[in-house]
Amino acid sequence: DAKTTQPPSMDCAEGRAANLPCNHSTISGNEYVYWYRQIHSQGPQYIIHGLKNNETNEMASLIITEDRKSSTLILPHATLRDTAVYYCIVRGSGTYKYIFGTGTRLKVLA
Amino acid sequence: EAGVAQSPRYKIIEKRQSVAFWCNPISGHATLYWYQQILGQGPKLLIQFQNNGVVDDSQLPKDRFSAERLKGVDSTLKIQPAKLEDSAVYLCASSLEGTGNTGELFFGEGSRLTVL
């Protein structure tokens, strides 16, 4: 399973875009990039996932570089409720095995 | 639809005692996961079931931890005997795989264990 590297913490002003980077330089061709977030005292919550193309849903956008070695999760207009730990995970297409790292602690500031 | 149910929410025991956690996944979800989350760390996969078979238990401390998923639905995670370092939140998750599904994990609220 490919490993991911994320900054331990980030701050973002409320209303601004939050851009959370993730490095996954050892990713292989059939591995997906998933993003989850965990708000204090709750279980992790799915945000978005992608393989090669950029993806957007009602929560966020996912930008994957052409070489697939890194990705960025974008929260377009961060709110205080987006304060959480964000996890970037690489998952093989056949294993459905999710290995969480230490994530990025995002703090949205008023 | 109902989410992943876990019980108990909180448990306090003394070291060397035993404890069991129960999980009821979302109906129809074939894959069930148990994670251990120690304070300040990301969730650590303990065991993954596909229906009632074990897919991965490489990180499960088998000398003290056991898990089963009878009939491919509910699951139980047991710790016997407990150690101080087992203090953590135990998260259960389930997922629905297959073409057209995102494969996302749905987590329960977790069971917080304190070992004194």
Side-chain angles (χ1 to χ4, degrees):
Chain A
D1 300 308
K3 297 291 188 291
T4 62
T5 303
Q6 299 178 254
S9 64
M10 294 181 63
D11 290 341
C12 176
E14 187 178 21
R16 304 296 295 269
N19 296 282
L20 291 90
C22 178
N23 181 287
H24 32 78
S25 57
T26 61
I27 194 170
S28 58
N30 63 350
E31 291 182 315
Y32 288 79
V33 179
Y34 276 75
W35 283 83
Y36 283 77
R37 74 178 182 184
Q38 187 173 27
I39 296 171
H40 183 63
S41 296
Q42 299 180 18
Q45 174 193 21
Y46 166 84
I47 301 173
I48 198 167
H49 77 286
L51 182 63
K52 297 179 182 178
N53 301 321
N54 297 336
E55 302 288 344
T56 296
N57 62 20
E58 64 277 6
M59 292 182 67
S61 295
L62 174 60
I63 308 298
I64 302 174
T65 58
E66 192 171 343
D67 63 7
R68 302 186 71 239
K69 293 185 176 182
S70 65
S71 61
T72 301
L73 178 74
I74 301 173
L75 307 178
H77 306 287
T79 70
L80 298 178
R81 289 176 295 179
D82 292 323
T83 292
V85 178
Y86 288 77
Y87 296 97
C88 169
I89 301 164
V90 171
R91 193 213 78 179
S93 63
T95 65
Y96 299 100
K97 180 178 173 180
Y98 295 83
I99 304 299
F100 287 77
T102 52
T104 295
R105 186 172 299 274
L106 175 69
K107 187 173 182 180
V108 180
L109 306 172
Chain B
E1 67 182 3
V4 176
Q6 290 189 246
S7 68
R9 286 296 312 279
Y10 305 92
K11 188 73 175 179
I12 300 174
I13 62 173
E14 296 192 348
K15 60 183 178 183
R16 290 187 290 274
Q17 287 187 323
S18 63
V19 63
F21 302 111
W22 172 82
C23 173
N24 184 14
I26 293 173
S27 178
H29 282 197
T31 306
L32 184 147
Y33 308 77
W34 282 102
Y35 286 87
Q36 178 195 58
Q37 187 169 28
I38 293 172
L39 187 64
Q41 299 181 17
K44 171 188 171 185
L45 179 65
L46 292 176
I47 190 167
Q48 177 184 350
F49 291 96
Q50 179 79 17
N51 294 309
N52 61 348
V54 175
V55 174
D56 188 320
D57 64 355
S58 57
Q59 297 298 305
L60 188 72
K62 298 180 185 63
D63 58 334
R64 298 184 301 107
F65 285 64
S66 64
E68 60 183 9
R69 191 182 184 197
L70 299 176
K71 300 181 182 179
V73 181
D74 294 7
S75 178
T76 302
L77 175 70
K78 296 180 181 177
I79 307 174
Q80 182 179 10
K83 292 186 175 181
L84 296 177
E85 59 260 37
D86 298 332
S87 293
V89 176
Y90 291 86
L91 294 163
C92 180
S94 67
S95 68
L96 178 65
E97 292 85 34
T99 303
N101 295 307
T102 64
E104 68 182 271
L105 298 181
F106 294 84
F107 281 86
E109 293 184 317
S111 295
R112 182 178 297 275
L113 173 66
T114 301
V115 182
L116 304 176

